[in-house]
Amino acid sequence: SSGINAEYGGHPTYRTALQMAGSKKRRDFRRLRKLKKIAAKRNVEWETLDVRDFGPLPAPPSFRERIDAVLANPRFRLRLVKVGSKEFEETFADTHAVYARYQSTIHGDTPDKCNQSRFHNFLCNSPFQHREVENQGAYHQQYWLDGTLIAVGVLDILPRCLSSVYFYYDPSYEGLTLGTLSALFELHLASKLSRTALPSLRWYYMGFYIHSCRKMRYKGRFRPSYLLCP
């Protein structure tokens, strides 16, 4: 499991004028021009300067600020739907359609292995489904882009942890590294719940980890984390 206080991001990189001179990015071109003006005023060689000469750099946005900025985009919608709810039933056909495409394309399953009945037994028939406990139980976190469902994260929200049960996506969006993105959004959800509705929640559980499995390696990139039963 991974601690929910994990931060995503890092310290700003200080780039020298010479590094920017070899870049083709417009941003570096503008920075280099400004550095040359600073060098002329100081009567020094511009090659000796770096971006710190612009003055104090602003602090990088926090993990929470980065996620909130994505959630503010009107094209993107993240919906947390409780299994068995009216909203869940209304979107069941959409979630199953994405699941069937994912299983057949990514895992090579035949249509009979990913029909609605097997999908329901695998990811919807949860032991928590019939427990009426506020802010806890089995949920599907739906990722909508431009009104189209592109991915679903299956979650169990428990008193002390948020457990990531399964994640699947439309293979058309495979290039977006949605597995990593889902973990970031789930960390954000766990952090939010621990601050508000569920203060006893302390952990984010990413599920099984097999290092030799390429699809699971992204889990090992999150820090700090603990590997149980290695």
Side-chain angles (χ1 to χ4, degrees):
S1 59
S2 297
I4 61 174
N5 62 339
E7 289 289 329
Y8 179 72
H11 297 290
T13 300
Y14 294 122
R15 305 195 66 206
T16 66
L18 284 175
Q19 287 173 323
M20 285 184 277
S23 172
K24 295 182 180 179
K25 294 181 180 179
R26 291 183 179 179
R27 180 182 61 183
D28 285 338
F29 178 78
R30 291 193 298 269
R31 286 176 174 174
L32 182 60
R33 186 169 55 187
K34 186 173 181 179
L35 280 178
K36 287 182 177 180
K37 289 181 180 180
I38 294 173
K41 289 181 180 180
R42 297 180 183 177
N43 196 26
V44 297
E45 297 294 329
W46 64 266
E47 293 90 345
T48 64
L49 302 180
D50 63 32
V51 294
R52 284 172 289 188
D53 288 278
F54 292 146
L57 291 175
S62 67
F63 167 69
R64 192 185 307 170
E65 290 170 338
R66 290 170 186 259
I67 297 296
D68 287 341
V70 176
L71 294 175
N73 189 324
R75 296 182 56 196
F76 179 71
R77 187 180 180 192
L78 196 63
R79 297 170 65 184
L80 186 64
V81 178
K82 191 162 190 176
V83 171
S85 67
K86 180 181 177 181
E87 193 174 16
F88 173 81
E89 298 298 336
E90 290 174 345
T91 57
F92 180 81
D94 291 319
T95 56
H96 170 258
V98 175
Y99 171 79
R101 288 196 293 272
Y102 173 82
Q103 292 296 125
S104 61
T105 303
I106 304 300
H107 295 291
D109 285 357
T110 56
D112 64 295
K113 288 186 177 181
C114 47
N115 58 31
Q116 287 194 0
S117 177
R118 293 203 176 194
F119 167 65
H120 188 276
N121 289 335
F122 178 34
L123 297 176
C124 308
N125 190 18
S126 167
F128 304 108
Q129 181 178 348
H130 305 293
R131 293 182 62 190
E132 293 298 327
V133 181
E134 189 176 4
N135 301 313
Q136 296 181 41
Y139 289 83
H140 283 196
Q141 184 155 257
Q142 302 173 348
Y143 296 72
W144 296 81
L145 182 64
D146 294 330
T148 300
L149 182 67
I150 65 169
V152 178
V154 181
L155 307 173
D156 285 336
I157 300 178
L158 307 173
R160 295 185 62 83
C161 80
L162 186 149
S163 175
S164 181
V165 178
Y166 200 71
F167 180 77
Y168 60 92
Y169 56 85
D170 187 329
S172 303
Y173 298 88
E174 186 173 12
L176 297 181
T177 61
L178 290 170
T180 299
L181 286 173
S182 72
L184 294 173
F185 281 116
E186 289 165 9
L187 275 167
H188 182 266
L189 174 62
S191 178
K192 181 179 179 180
L193 287 171
S194 71
R195 297 192 316 270
T196 55
L198 203 58
S200 62
L201 194 150
R202 287 290 181 270
W203 302 96
Y204 169 54
Y205 178 61
M206 300 185 76
F208 291 113
Y209 175 67
I210 303 172
H211 182 70
S212 59
C213 178
R214 182 179 60 85
K215 296 184 181 67
M216 292 188 180
R217 286 180 187 168
Y218 73 92
K219 297 180 181 182
R221 295 198 293 266
F222 287 84
R223 297 286 188 275
S225 64
Y226 299 95
L227 181 64
L228 303 179
C229 301

